[in-house]
Amino acid sequence: MSKIVGLRYGAPSASAMHLCVDMQRMFAERTEWKMPWLERVLPNIVSITSLHPERTIFTRFIPAQHSGQGMGMWRRYYEHWASMTVDELGADMINVVPELARFAPPARYFDKYVYSPWTASDLDRQLRGAGIDTLIITGGETDVCVLATMMGAVDWGFRVLLVTDALCSSADETHDAMMNVYENRLAQQVECVSTEAILENWRLK
């Protein structure tokens, strides 16, 4: 019997898309932005991706090319994080981790230059045009780019399935605080589910 714990509105279907947030080498390897427990959730994200790779989008956070580039406070941000610019990191570090990159294609990439994939983009139009009304969200960080991705999805009216054991952060305290927000304050608009629930219930027919 399928486990549908957390799937308040039933199993996801062909109208769902897996949106995997920023599972990139620069967050997995030895950089100042490394997420220490990315490796812990990676097997779950791989499992979800392998289920329907053609229905997966990998977002990639693209840093400034060099220190001091950017508008407004982003300029100051990249003065502070000069080591995380493309010139310092190398372009290869922007790529998703190899365990996930092997799924693209048919999975595809969506690049963004700020935390949210919805800002100054046509992501909503792309998804709606493809008949997508449900987003299965995984990745990192729980309290930054996942937060921005999830809030935008809520604002655009998508059904949001947040996979709690497929999220990671570099800060346990704020991860836990955000999970409390997701599970309580946003309980009417966010369904917090497990990887197992997605694997057992996401069918395209």
Side-chain angles (χ1 to χ4, degrees), residues 27-40:
F27 300 118
E29 300 181 22
R30 294 179 65 181
T31 73
E32 290 191 84
W33 286 354
K34 179 177 179 177
M35 290 185 281
W37 40 287
L38 181 150
E39 292 182 1
R40 189 170 72 197

Side-chain angles (χ1 to χ4, degrees), residues 18-90:
H18 172 210
L19 198 56
C20 178
V21 180
D22 302 359
M23 291 292 286
Q24 296 162 258
R25 289 182 56 196
M26 64 181 178
F27 300 118
E29 300 181 22
R30 294 179 65 181
T31 73
E32 290 191 84
W33 286 354
K34 179 177 179 177
M35 290 185 281
W37 40 287
L38 181 150
E39 292 182 1
R40 189 170 72 197
V41 302
L42 181 57
N44 288 342
I45 297 176
V46 168
S47 294
I48 293 171
T49 303
S50 64
L51 194 63
H52 305 299
E54 74 283 3
R55 302 193 74 77
T56 291
I57 296 174
F58 297 120
T59 68
R60 298 189 301 184
F61 179 76
I62 311 298
Q65 186 69 36
H66 54 79
S67 176
Q69 185 180 15
M71 182 175 62
M73 291 300 292
W74 283 107
R75 179 185 298 273
R76 180 172 294 178
Y77 182 85
Y78 285 113
E79 289 172 351
H80 177 80
W81 292 112
S83 66
M84 297 304 298
T85 59
V86 175
D87 283 350
E88 294 296 322
L89 285 172

Side-chain angles (χ1 to χ4, degrees), residues 17-197:
M17 180 71 76
H18 172 210
L19 198 56
C20 178
V21 180
D22 302 359
M23 291 292 286
Q24 296 162 258
R25 289 182 56 196
M26 64 181 178
F27 300 118
E29 300 181 22
R30 294 179 65 181
T31 73
E32 290 191 84
W33 286 354
K34 179 177 179 177
M35 290 185 281
W37 40 287
L38 181 150
E39 292 182 1
R40 189 170 72 197
V41 302
L42 181 57
N44 288 342
I45 297 176
V46 168
S47 294
I48 293 171
T49 303
S50 64
L51 194 63
H52 305 299
E54 74 283 3
R55 302 193 74 77
T56 291
I57 296 174
F58 297 120
T59 68
R60 298 189 301 184
F61 179 76
I62 311 298
Q65 186 69 36
H66 54 79
S67 176
Q69 185 180 15
M71 182 175 62
M73 291 300 292
W74 283 107
R75 179 185 298 273
R76 180 172 294 178
Y77 182 85
Y78 285 113
E79 289 172 351
H80 177 80
W81 292 112
S83 66
M84 297 304 298
T85 59
V86 175
D87 283 350
E88 294 296 322
L89 285 172
D92 287 348
M93 292 295 280
I94 295 169
N95 292 332
V96 301
V97 296
E99 293 89 341
L100 294 171
R102 64 189 175 93
F103 293 106
R108 61 189 177 93
Y109 299 111
F110 188 91
D111 292 345
K112 59 194 177 74
Y113 298 87
V114 293
Y115 299 144
S116 172
W118 310 101
T119 299
S121 84
D122 64 349
L123 181 58
D124 173 63
R125 182 184 60 79
Q126 290 185 32
L127 295 172
R128 296 294 186 188
I132 304 302
D133 63 14
T134 299
L135 295 178
I136 299 167
I137 297 178
T138 65
E141 293 187 81
T142 313
D143 41 352
V144 186
C145 289
V146 167
L147 171 62
T149 301
M150 187 275 302
M151 290 301 295
V154 168
D155 284 345
W156 280 111
F158 288 95
R159 179 187 180 191
V160 176
L161 305 179
L162 194 65
V163 188
T164 59
D165 55 354
L167 302 176
C168 55
S169 178
S170 57
D172 290 355
E173 183 177 356
T174 46
H175 167 86
D176 293 343
M178 286 314 309
M179 291 309 303
N180 183 54
V181 171
Y182 297 150
E183 293 170 352
N184 293 288
R185 289 285 290 173
L186 296 171
Q188 291 301 312
Q189 293 173 300
V190 178
E191 295 163 76
C192 292
V193 302
S194 67
T195 296
E196 184 180 14

